[in-house]
Amino acid sequence: MTDNESLTTPDPKVTGFTPGDDIGTRWRNTFSLLMGRMNEQGKEQYLKARDDRYEESDCKWCEDKRDYMLKYSPIVRFMRGKINQLGADIHSGNIRCRRCYTHQAGGFDPDFGIQLCANKLVDRGHLEDTLAHGK
């Protein structure tokens, strides 16, 4: 390891996070987190690794639930109807599911429309609340 690598790669003994994607390393990191043996930097590394690993499936889940909400959720359908009356349209093309690095479930982006943070949504109800209230 060079001096530059040691400056950019945190020591697992300090952070409690061990890099790697094999099942043993993932379990080791999960237990380190649960038992409080991981510092804040290790926790951030753990969450980023998890988000990287599950990005595709998180976004797919989010898109499926978004489409369901647009068809069947009473509050989302009500708000969508009111927005349509104002001359705008809310549809799956302007509600995007993406991975977010901030601690929020979604919001509005002037370039893309409504953004749902696929890696921060915990269940269908959370997605519905985010769509309805822009949390």
Side-chain angles (χ1 to χ4, degrees), residues 9-131:
T9 306
D11 183 8
K13 292 178 184 173
V14 174
T15 65
F17 175 80
T18 304
D21 200 31
D22 62 280
I23 192 72
T25 304
R26 288 167 43 188
W27 275 107
R28 186 178 311 114
N29 285 326
T30 300
F31 286 122
S32 290
L33 178 68
L34 292 174
M35 296 181 74
R37 295 180 181 164
M38 202 176 277
N39 68 15
E40 284 302 312
Q41 187 178 16
K43 183 178 178 182
E44 288 176 23
Q45 289 176 298
Y46 173 83
L47 294 174
K48 183 181 180 322
R50 185 197 62 191
D51 289 347
D52 289 344
R53 186 180 315 109
Y54 296 117
E55 179 174 15
E56 186 176 334
S57 62
D58 285 347
C59 288
K60 173 77 171 103
W61 177 88
C62 177
E63 290 164 355
D64 291 345
K65 299 307 175 219
R66 170 203 62 199
D67 295 345
Y68 177 88
M69 291 298 160
L70 288 170
K71 288 181 185 175
Y72 301 112
S73 167
I75 186 71
V76 172
R77 290 176 59 204
F78 173 80
M79 292 182 75
R80 185 178 184 191
K82 294 299 180 185
I83 291 170
N84 285 343
Q85 288 176 359
L86 295 172
D89 186 25
I90 302 255
H91 51 82
S92 61
N94 58 15
I95 302 173
R96 299 175 192 250
C97 294
R98 298 283 186 260
R99 181 172 71 173
C100 298
Y101 299 100
T102 58
H103 296 289
Q104 65 187 46
F108 181 76
D109 184 317
D111 296 327
F112 300 110
I114 298 168
Q115 179 170 319
L116 296 171
C117 298
N119 58 319
K120 303 296 182 185
L121 297 167
V122 294
D123 59 24
R124 192 168 71 184
H126 190 203
L127 188 142
E128 182 178 39
D129 288 345
T130 302
L131 274 175

